[in-house]
Structures are given as C-alpha cells and as structure tokens.
Amino acid sequence: MVVNRLHQWRKLLPQVPLALLLLIEALLLGYPLVTELPRTLPGNFWHAESAILAEFNWFMLPRLLLVSGLVLMAIGLLLRARAAWFFALMLVLLVTPLLWRSGLVQHGTLAFSWALLVLLVLFRDSFQGSSVVAGALVTLLIVSALLCYAMVGSLSLGADFIPPILNPMTALYFSLVTMTTVGYGDITPHTDAARLFTLSIIILGITVFAAALSTLVGPMLNSSMQRIIKGKGRKMKRSGHFLIVGASPLAHNLYESLSQRGLKVTVLLSPESAQQHSLPDDADIVVGETSDTSVLKEAGAELARSVLALGGDDADNAFVVLAMKDLASDVRTVVLLNDNRHLEKIKRCQPDVLIAPQLLGSEILARLLNGETMDKDTITDLLLQGNPAKLSD
C-alpha cells in the first residue's frame, strides 16, 4: 500500500503542478477580459455594421486565443504530451509582448510568466509522450488561431470583397468556406490585397487540416498496426521468463546475452524510453509505468524467474524492487546502482542482488595502485552485493 501511494504521488510530478501554474497564467490574462468585453462589444455584435464594429478592439482576439490555448495545453501537460509542452512554451513566450503591446504590463504577471517559462524548460525531459487527446487539443488550438486570423483579415479588408464583409457573421462564413476550400463564390475578392489574403487562408487551411489528419489518425493507425504485426497484448501469458525493467546499456546487453542462450526474456519500458529503444522488432516489450503493480502483472512479474531493475534512474529501480515486495516477495530481484550516493537507500529496499559497477571499478583501481592482488571471488563480491548464489537456484 505504501509503495502504491508513493508511486501515485510520484506520477503526479511534474505535470500536475505545471498544469495548475498554466491555468493560473490563463486566469491572470483572462481576468481583464471579463471586465473589458461587456463594455467593448456592441450589443448586436454578430450583425454589427462596420461603423459600430470599428469601436471593437480586435486586439482582444489574440488575448482570448492565448487564454484558450493555455487552458487547452494545461490539459495536454497532464498527459505528458511533448506537443502540449512545446505549444505551452510558445504561448508563455507570447505573454510578455502581448501584455506590453496591450498596455497591461504588470510586474507580478510578468515575473510569474518568466518563472513558469523557466520551469517548463527545466522539466522538458518529463514530457516525451504522444497522445491522440493531446494531438486533438493542439489541432483545436491551431484551427482556432487560423480562424481568428481569417476573421480579422476578412473584416479588415471587408470593402475589398463583393459583396463587402461588414460583420463577424459574414466573416465567419467566408473564413470557414475558404479554409475548407469549398468556395461557393458568393463572396469574391476584387483587389490584389484581398486575393493574396484569400490565397493565404486556402494554403494555411489545407496545411492545418492535413496536419490534423496526420496528428489524429496517425497514432491510431500506428497503434493498430503494431498490435496486428506483433500479435501481442494484455492477454499474452508470460511465465518462467526473465523480466528486465529499464533501457540502460546493461539492460540491452543482458537482453542480447539471455536471448542468445535461448532463454525467455520480457522487457518492461517506460513510455519515454519506449520511443528510443534499440531492441529487436520481435522483442517481447511491455510499455507502462515501470513501478506500477498492474503493469508488472501484465509483464508477468509474479511468474518470472527473476526481475531485474536495470534502469538509468536509481529511484525508479528502487520503486520496482519495493513494488515486487508487495506483488511477489518470493521472486528474485536484482537492482542496478547508478550513483554510489544512493547505495544505502537501495540497500534498504533489500534486493536479492545489487549490481554496483562503479564500486567495482574504483576498488579494483585502488587495489592495483596499492599493489594488492585480486581474485575471482573478490571481484564477484564487489560487483554483486547480496546473495548472487540465489540467482542460480
């Protein structure tokens, strides 16, 4: 229970705090709009003539789009999506020039934006995932931005069209018809500026909708093809195998060595490392949070001959061992030590065997420099701490 609680809290970092900060940023930017919009917008906004519409401050549209984008990207950050992180970074970068241009410069808001920008950069490696939902949010943001561009441009060049575009409803109609390349021809450009603007909407519309299709349909097709080709899924029964957790060089080399000996091996990878691994296409790979007991069960951890936590992060390796204590304490566990400073903490997890390559290298060098001899048993004791003999039982 304690392990699961710790793991649940750990899974919330850093995406949940950053998403909350992004929502606060949206609130700071959106609050002035709540007071400005009622007195700025004309009562008959959607059918306002150009004379009334001239009183409307169109600079509000980018601000509204920015606030909406921050909210959407906050949802994307919760999914650890790389695309959501990138667009969140871009939107926060736009906050400073927007506030400066609109005359709403406040030192507190600017300081908050810069601090959020720094945090996004610091935790960039935590957002490596891809998600259909995140792709949909990014697509919605881009389509909304294009629609705002088309509407503002149509109203600005309204007199250059026949019939003239004089109100937002007509601008919305013309923008959507042009973006989708339907082109009924009931509103046509009659100046070079209007023609070039219409061409830009057509080109951007085709690009955006093509990108939307690849973003939304691509991941679903890729996932389906992988399931068809590999023929693997949650129903696959695994037992009597070695379970390697992690994507370190040691994990990769051990997989090759065990596979060459004809032994059954399953590899459990985190979603981040699964995108960059170099294992063979026919490798039995399970992707998920490495210390989640449900994912370990899917990988057959309770029926494995040994579970080897060989990731590049000592905290992740320790959580794997602790999770195995709750799931199947009789299964032998091996853990890799990446940093000597974490030796005592790893030992408290009580793995059956602890691999410490750094300790072995430093001790061998020290003994050689001092003229001491080294035998096989000494080297084994330094490299494999615990009860190595238990692995061959």
Side-chain angles (χ1 to χ4, degrees):
M1 292 296 295
V2 175
V3 174
N4 289 336
R5 286 284 180 86
L6 290 173
H7 177 66
Q8 289 173 0
W9 280 104
R10 189 168 178 268
K11 287 197 298 184
L12 299 178
L13 301 175
Q15 67 271 21
V16 172
L18 285 176
L20 290 176
L21 291 175
L22 212 60
L23 289 175
I24 294 174
E25 178 85 339
L27 181 63
L28 292 174
L29 293 174
Y31 179 75
L33 296 176
V34 177
T35 57
E36 290 181 28
L37 281 176
R39 62 181 175 80
T40 306
L41 288 175
N44 58 341
F45 171 72
W46 289 107
H47 300 282
E49 297 297 332
S50 58
I52 300 176
L53 193 62
E55 299 177 5
F56 177 67
N57 181 12
W58 279 107
F59 195 73
M60 284 185 180
L61 273 179
R63 287 163 56 190
L64 283 171
L65 183 62
L66 181 57
V67 171
S68 303
L70 289 173
V71 174
L72 292 176
M73 293 308 104
I75 300 173
L77 289 183
L78 293 177
L79 303 173
R80 290 181 178 268
R82 187 67 173 181
W85 172 87
F86 174 78
F87 280 97
L89 188 70
M90 294 297 102
L91 291 174
V92 175
L93 281 172
L94 290 174
V95 169
T96 299
L98 183 67
L99 291 178
W100 202 278
R101 179 70 182 274
S102 61
L104 297 175
V105 178
Q106 297 177 355
H107 296 298
T109 305
L110 287 177
F112 184 86
S113 301
W114 295 339
L116 178 57
L117 187 65
V118 172
L119 289 175
L120 286 171
V121 173
L122 288 177
F123 291 103
R124 60 186 180 277
D125 293 335
S126 300
F127 301 93
Q128 300 291 341
S130 59
S131 167
V132 175
V133 176
L137 294 175
V138 172
T139 301
L140 179 60
L141 175 62
I142 297 175
V143 171
S144 301
L146 176 58
L147 184 59
C148 287
Y149 162 75
M151 287 185 64
V152 172
S154 301
L155 287 165
S156 300
L157 299 171
D160 294 344
F161 293 87
I162 296 180
I165 299 176
L166 301 177
N167 56 68
M169 180 58 74
T170 306
L172 177 63
Y173 166 77
F174 174 76
S175 300
L176 289 176
V177 168
T178 307
M179 285 168 56
T180 55
T181 67
V182 175
Y184 290 118
D186 50 343
I187 300 177
T188 57
H190 278 263
T191 67
D192 289 341
R195 292 188 183 100
L196 289 174
F197 171 71
T198 304
L199 285 175
S200 70
I201 298 178
I202 294 173
I203 294 172
L204 290 174
I206 294 173
T207 304
V208 167
F209 287 118
L213 284 176
S214 62
T215 301
L216 298 178
V217 180
M220 291 188 289
L221 290 177
N222 184 46
S223 177
S224 300
M225 289 300 296
Q226 285 184 353
R227 286 196 297 267
I228 293 172
I229 293 173
K230 292 187 176 182
K232 297 172 182 173
R234 292 183 177 270
K235 295 183 179 179
M236 181 177 179
K237 188 68 174 179
R238 300 178 176 90
S239 62
H241 60 295
F242 293 95
L243 177 57
I244 299 176
V245 184
S248 64
L250 177 60
H252 186 276
N253 293 334
L254 180 61
Y255 172 84
E256 291 185 344
S257 299
L258 293 176
S259 299
Q260 289 172 0
R261 289 167 170 78
L263 299 172
K264 294 191 296 183
V265 186
T266 298
V267 181
L268 174 54
L269 299 175
S270 65
E272 295 80 10
S273 57
Q275 300 177 359
Q276 305 173 357
H277 74 82
S278 56
L279 295 170
D281 294 336
D282 59 347
D284 181 18
I285 300 174
V286 177
V287 179
E289 292 295 335
T290 55
S291 55
D292 191 335
T293 52
S294 62
V295 178
L296 287 169
K297 285 183 179 180
E298 179 187 346
E302 71 274 21
L303 300 176
R305 295 173 60 179
S306 297
V307 174
L308 305 103
L310 306 180
D313 187 291
D314 288 334
D316 289 340
N317 293 340
F319 271 107
V320 171
V321 176
L322 291 174
M324 286 304 303
K325 296 295 182 184
D326 285 347
L327 181 61
S329 58
D330 57 327
V331 176
R332 298 167 296 191
T333 55
V334 179
V335 64
L336 170 65
L337 177 68
N338 295 281
D339 191 331
N340 294 342
R341 294 174 296 180
H342 303 152
L343 177 61
E344 295 303 321
K345 295 179 181 179
I346 295 292
K347 284 184 176 180
R348 293 194 196 105
C349 299
Q350 298 180 345
D352 293 315
V353 175
L354 188 152
I355 305 176
Q358 296 89 345
L359 292 177
L360 173 64
S362 60
E363 188 65 23
I364 289 179
L365 184 58
R367 295 194 180 203
L368 289 176
L369 292 174
N370 195 38
E372 302 176 33
T373 58
M374 296 284 292
D375 55 24
K376 182 179 67 174
D377 293 336
T378 301
I379 294 176
T380 302
D381 292 340
L382 290 172
L383 178 62
L384 304 175
Q385 301 187 27
N387 187 12
K390 188 176 179 180
L391 295 178
S392 57
D393 291 345

